[in-house]
Amino acid sequence: MLPKRLLLVEDDRALAELVSFHFDRAGYAVTRTGDGEEALILADEVKPDLVLLDWMIEGISGIEVCRRLRRRQATANVPIIMLTARGEEDDKIRGLETGADDYLTKPFSPKELVARAGAVLRRVRPALAAEALSYAGVEMDLVAHRVRRDGHSIQLGPTEYRLLRHFLENPGRVFSRQQLLETVWPHSEDIELRTVDVHIRRLRLAVGEPDLIRTVRSAGYALDAEGVA
C-alpha cells in the first residue's frame, strides 16, 4: 500500500523531529518545513494527503497558509490539522473557521496526534484509510496491488494502476489533463498533456467494456458509471 503523504509545517526542530518519527513509524511519507512560504511551494510539489500546520512559523503565519491552501483548487479539500500553543477558545474558532479540520494545543502527545490524523483522514478522505477501493464492479486491493472487474483479474502497468487508483479515490469527479498529470505522474515537468490521453486509452482497454471513464469535452475525464448500460 502506498504511504500517505504528510506535509509537516513546524519551525521547532526538536518537535518536528519527534512528530516525524511517530508518523514515519505509522507509515506516512513525511515532508518537513518550518517556513510558511516554502510550505505553499511544497504543497504543490508533494501533493500531501494531510497537512500538519503550526500557527506560529517563519514567514507567512500558519493561519494564512491554511487560508491560501483552502483557496487553491488542488489543496481545497486536503485535511489540515493546526498545531499551536494558542489555546484560547477564540483562537480555536478562528483556526477552524479558516479551514482547519482539527486543532491540537501544545504540548500534546505525538501518539494522540497520529490517532487524530487517522481519524481526520477517515472522516474527510475515507479512501485514504482503506485497504481496498471499489466502484461499479471494479475492485482494487491496495495491499496486494491487484485489480479485478466483476471478479476477473485486470493487468495494469504502474502508470495505469496509479491513474485508476486516483479515479477510484474520487469517483464521479472530473479531472483535467493537467490535474491528472500533476497527481499521477511523480515528475511531470517534461511530460506532455497528450501522454494522459495515451494512458487513458490503455486503461480503458484494460478495464474493458462497458467504458466507465467518461470524457468531458474541454474539461477532462471522470470515473462515472452513470448512463453505462
Side-chain angles (χ1 to χ4, degrees):
M1 184 175 179
L2 296 175
K4 293 179 282 292
R5 299 180 298 272
L6 171 67
L7 176 58
L8 171 61
V9 188
E10 171 60 67
D11 61 356
D12 182 327
R13 180 172 297 181
L15 180 58
E17 290 179 354
L18 179 63
V19 170
S20 296
F21 172 77
H22 282 272
F23 275 93
D24 182 68
R25 287 187 61 185
Y28 290 75
V30 182
T31 300
R32 286 168 42 186
T33 181
D35 182 84
E37 291 277 6
E38 187 177 23
L40 292 171
I41 295 172
L42 288 173
D44 288 331
E45 295 178 351
V46 176
K47 299 174 180 61
D49 298 308
L50 175 69
V51 176
L52 299 183
L53 180 59
D54 186 17
W55 187 310
M56 303 299 292
I57 52 177
E58 298 176 9
I60 301 173
S61 70
I63 201 77
E64 180 60 24
V65 171
C66 181
R67 183 178 292 110
R68 295 189 189 186
L69 290 176
R70 286 291 175 253
R71 289 174 179 170
R72 296 179 178 180
Q73 182 178 0
T75 54
N77 297 315
V78 174
I80 299 174
I81 299 178
M82 295 290 295
L83 308 175
T84 179
R86 304 171 69 116
E88 298 298 323
E89 183 180 29
D90 288 346
D91 292 326
K92 293 181 180 179
I93 292 173
R94 183 184 174 195
L96 294 171
E97 288 182 342
T98 301
D101 296 281
D102 201 356
Y103 192 110
L104 200 57
T105 304
K106 299 178 182 179
F108 54 79
S109 161
K111 291 183 179 179
E112 179 186 356
L113 178 57
V114 173
R116 281 180 179 246
V120 167
L121 284 173
R122 287 191 296 273
R123 183 177 73 248
V124 179
R125 300 183 66 184
L128 290 173
E131 294 187 349
L133 300 170
S134 63
Y135 179 79
V138 177
E139 300 175 345
M140 175 178 283
D141 185 329
L142 299 176
V143 177
H145 279 244
R146 292 175 180 167
V147 180
R148 293 178 177 272
R149 182 171 188 182
D150 298 327
H152 300 287
S153 180
I154 297 173
Q155 300 301 317
L156 298 176
T159 301
E160 286 73 39
Y161 181 91
R162 293 196 302 271
L163 191 58
L164 179 59
R165 174 172 179 171
H166 183 64
F167 280 131
L168 287 171
E169 289 176 343
N170 303 275
R173 180 177 172 184
V174 179
F175 293 95
S176 69
R177 290 169 176 82
Q178 185 63 43
Q179 288 174 321
L180 291 172
L181 197 62
E182 293 174 355
T183 302
V184 176
W185 277 260
H187 306 287
S188 61
E189 294 84 358
D190 300 323
I191 301 177
E192 298 180 359
L193 286 177
R194 63 183 179 180
T195 300
V196 176
D197 299 325
V198 172
H199 287 279
I200 288 287
R201 287 197 295 272
R202 291 178 180 175
L203 179 58
R204 279 173 162 155
L205 286 173
V207 174
E209 297 293 338
D211 188 6
L212 295 175
I213 301 175
R214 177 165 59 97
T215 300
V216 182
R217 187 180 298 275
S218 301
Y221 299 101
L223 185 68
D224 191 351
E226 291 188 14
V228 174

